[in-house]
């Protein structure tokens, strides 16, 4: 992870956390002044806790256990009384607790897995977002499985037009099912990668976005980039000789991120260096067992003309090929407006 970005972001997290804790403290103080009953209940709670500590020090195991259980019940009763008091004041139950942006790491940026501390996914995803310009990101909030609209897909089979026994509707429903299963199996080594092919406006980027949205929500790091920008970035990073920390970070992310989405493959300007880099990305990610989605307007035949056998054999062997077909939804949407 880029040390500059990480340090800045960590500082941001520390501030955010302190702010949340400070604000909660202010709310608590204000409440103590305003509601004497609340103060009384807190004092009772404190006394009980002290009593409990004292009891724990003496008596036999059974006495201690009984005392502890009793104390828990009493503490619970006070907590419920506090809750009722809050409700009667029109306050949420968690009013005095800090409101953290991320419930998983409570804005520390770290989570504990066993006895190991790892970066929380919210932090990793923020690094990805910072590293890559926002305008290249997907529209995750607009294009996801919740906003998926089957009304754009015809239920008429047109074998001549689409060379398929399925209707566009049946086809997209199958791809959607496969995509949901894909995102549920990102860690599964048996899960193949996805290759989306199809004409313009048939929903490839939408489906990629829906998968990305779901993966991010599950805590995976996701990187979306169009093939031309990805290739330029990779080559720039190489030319910078990895001295530029941001470029080095960008480069490494392409290989390390849990899910890489390469959109619009085939629209990049082709060169031998780019072929080598594309092969390197596809191959390294396969070896690392990291999932990739590739989208393209090209057919498999076109791809075979543009890319060499080493790339093609990996795509065919390790990717499930999903052919998108149907009307151009972009045009359909335009007509509807
Ligand atoms: N399942 C869907 N539900 C609702 N809207 C959709 C769906 N699929 C696609 N769209 C909309 O249709 C338009 C075109 O879809 P998209 O961008 O995914 O096409 P594409 O296959 O990636 O096209 P291109 O090859 O030109 O990149 C977008 O406005 C998108 O929001
Ligand atoms: Mg697209
Ligand atoms: Zn977090």
């Amino acid at each position: 992870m880029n040390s500059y970005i990480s340090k800045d972001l960590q500082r941001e997290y520390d501030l955010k956390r302190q702010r949340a804790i400070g604000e909660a403290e202010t709310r608590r103080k204000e409440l103590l002044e305003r509601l004497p009953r609340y103060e009384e209940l807190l004092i009772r709670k404190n006394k009980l806790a002290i009593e409990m500590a004292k009891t724990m020090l003496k008596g036999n195991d059974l006495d201690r256990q009984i005392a502890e259980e009793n104390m828990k019940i009493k503490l619970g009763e006070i907590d419920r009384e506090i809750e009722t008091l809050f409700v009667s004041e029109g306050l949420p139950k968690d009013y005095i607790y800090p409101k953290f942006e991320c419930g998983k790491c409570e804005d520390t940026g770290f989570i504990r897995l066993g006895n190991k501390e790892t970066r929380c996914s919210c932090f990793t995803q923020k690094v990805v977002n910072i590293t890559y310009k926002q305008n290249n990101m997907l529209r995750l909030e607009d294009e996801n499985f919740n906003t998926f609209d089957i009304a754009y897909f015809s239920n008429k089979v047109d074998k001549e037009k689409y060379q398929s026994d399925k209707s566009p509707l049946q086809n997209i429903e199958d791809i959607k099912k496969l995509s949901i299963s894909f995102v549920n199996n990102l860690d599964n080594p048996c899960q193949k990668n996805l290759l989306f092919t199809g004409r313009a406006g048939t929903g490839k980027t939408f489906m990629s976005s829906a998968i990305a949205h779901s993966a991010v929500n599950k805590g995976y790091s996701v990187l979306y980039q169009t093939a031309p920008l990805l290739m330029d970035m990779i080559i720039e990073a190489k030319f910078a000789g990895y001295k530029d920390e941001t470029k080095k970070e960008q480069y490494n992310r392409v290989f390390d991120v849990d899910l890489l989405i390469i959109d619009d493959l085939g629209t990049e300007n082709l060169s031998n260096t780019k072929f080598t880099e594309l092969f390197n990305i596809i191959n390294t990610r396969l070896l690392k067992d990291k999932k990739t989605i590739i989208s393209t307007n090209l057919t498999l035949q076109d791809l075979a003309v543009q890319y060499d056998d080493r790339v093609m054999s990996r795509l065919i062997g390790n990717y499930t090929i999903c052919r998108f077909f149907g009307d151009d939804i972009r045009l359909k949407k335009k007509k509807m407006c």
Side-chain angles (χ1 to χ4, degrees):
M1 206 174 269
N2 182 316
S3 57
Y4 298 116
I5 293 180
S6 295
K7 268 187 206 147
D8 283 351
L9 196 58
Q10 188 59 55
R11 219 168 293 132
E12 218 177 90
Y13 265 62
D14 293 346
L15 284 175
K16 188 162 69 175
R17 186 176 154 82
Q18 280 165 18
R19 201 181 313 126
I21 294 173
E23 283 168 3
E25 187 54 23
T26 311
R27 286 197 297 275
R28 204 177 66 91
K29 279 189 183 147
E30 178 266 335
L31 212 59
L32 282 172
E33 275 174 27
R34 192 156 67 81
L35 299 177
R37 178 77 189 129
Y38 178 47
E39 194 172 9
E40 271 168 43
L41 289 168
L42 284 189
I43 292 170
R44 253 175 69 196
K45 233 182 131 171
N46 269 344
K47 275 189 188 155
L48 266 175
I50 294 167
E51 249 177 69
M52 180 152 128
K54 279 186 194 158
T55 322
M56 299 293 277
L57 292 173
K58 50 187 184 196
N60 60 29
D61 277 357
L62 187 64
D63 289 343
R64 260 207 299 266
Q65 228 174 330
I66 294 170
E68 201 180 330
E69 284 308 313
N70 280 337
M71 218 59 92
K72 268 189 197 156
I73 294 171
K74 283 185 191 161
L75 284 173
E77 279 168 4
I78 302 181
D79 279 339
R80 268 190 302 281
E81 217 176 308
I82 293 177
E83 269 181 34
T84 317
L85 179 67
F86 278 23
V87 172
S88 69
E89 288 291 317
L91 301 170
K93 284 180 193 165
D94 58 357
Y95 184 68
I96 43 136
Y97 298 112
K99 305 233 173 327
F100 296 117
E101 205 176 279
C102 176
K104 268 201 294 189
C105 69
E106 300 196 331
D107 298 352
T108 57
F110 290 100
I111 45 167
R112 211 161 240 301
L113 286 177
N115 52 6
K116 242 181 84 188
E117 257 200 345
T118 55
R119 276 293 181 198
C120 182
S121 56
C122 71
F123 193 93
T124 331
Q125 189 58 43
K126 280 208 169 74
V127 173
V128 175
N129 291 355
I130 294 169
T131 315
Y132 287 82
K133 289 190 191 97
Q134 209 62 36
N135 60 7
N136 289 328
M137 297 296 287
L138 293 160
R139 299 189 305 134
L140 296 181
E141 290 313 315
D142 298 324
E143 302 196 332
N144 55 58
F145 288 122
N146 305 323
T147 60
F148 198 99
D149 189 352
I150 54 163
Y152 290 117
F153 301 87
S154 153
N155 62 1
K156 293 207 174 61
V157 178
D158 190 335
K159 200 164 178 183
E160 208 172 306
K161 196 169 169 191
Y162 301 128
Q163 280 87 51
S164 174
D165 292 328
K166 287 188 207 171
S167 67
L169 176 63
Q170 165 95 63
N171 184 53
I172 202 72
E173 284 191 324
D174 287 349
I175 298 176
K176 185 180 170 195
K177 235 182 263 165
L178 196 92
S179 298
I180 292 172
S181 160
F182 172 82
V183 82
N184 287 333
N185 282 286
L186 282 180
D187 290 329
N188 183 347
C190 302
Q191 173 63 53
K192 282 193 176 187
N193 303 283
L194 298 177
L195 177 67
F196 292 166
T197 79
R199 289 169 176 250
T202 47
K204 300 178 296 296
T205 301
F206 188 108
M207 195 68 81
S208 307
S209 171
I211 295 173
H213 179 258
S214 176
V216 169
N217 284 339
K218 283 175 186 287
Y220 291 101
S221 55
V222 178
L223 172 62
Y224 166 89
Q225 195 58 280
T226 61
L229 288 176
L230 183 70
M231 293 325 226
D232 287 350
M233 185 275 288
I234 290 269
I235 285 162
E236 231 180 85
K238 281 211 144 169
F239 271 114
Y242 310 114
K243 278 187 225 95
D244 181 324
E245 280 289 329
T246 310
K247 291 203 169 89
K248 190 168 134 194
E249 152 69 11
Q250 286 180 336
Y251 184 86
N252 289 338
R253 294 299 295 171
V254 173
F255 299 93
D256 293 340
V257 74
D258 295 326
L259 173 63
L260 172 70
I261 301 173
I262 308 177
D263 207 357
D264 301 328
L265 185 78
T267 55
E268 69 279 14
N269 290 324
L270 299 168
S271 69
N272 280 340
T273 328
K274 285 182 185 170
F275 282 140
T276 312
E277 290 312 324
L278 178 69
F279 172 76
N280 191 19
I281 296 171
I282 294 176
N283 195 43
T284 310
R285 289 188 61 84
L286 281 174
L287 294 176
K288 286 189 171 192
D289 214 1
K290 297 274 186 185
K291 299 294 181 286
T292 310
I293 301 174
I294 299 179
S295 286
T296 179
N297 277 156
L298 302 178
T299 61
L300 272 189
Q301 289 79 0
D302 296 335
L303 283 173
V305 173
Q306 286 208 18
Y307 301 96
D308 71 10
D309 290 351
R310 292 183 315 155
V311 169
M312 285 315 288
S313 76
R314 276 158 187 81
L315 292 183
I316 292 167
N318 301 290
Y319 282 67
T320 303
I321 294 156
C322 304
R323 190 164 69 86
F324 286 64
F325 57 82
D327 297 326
D328 182 336
I329 303 171
R330 230 172 257 129
L331 292 180
K332 264 192 171 176
K333 275 190 160 176
K334 227 179 190 173
K335 277 183 202 155
M336 281 156 112
C337 290

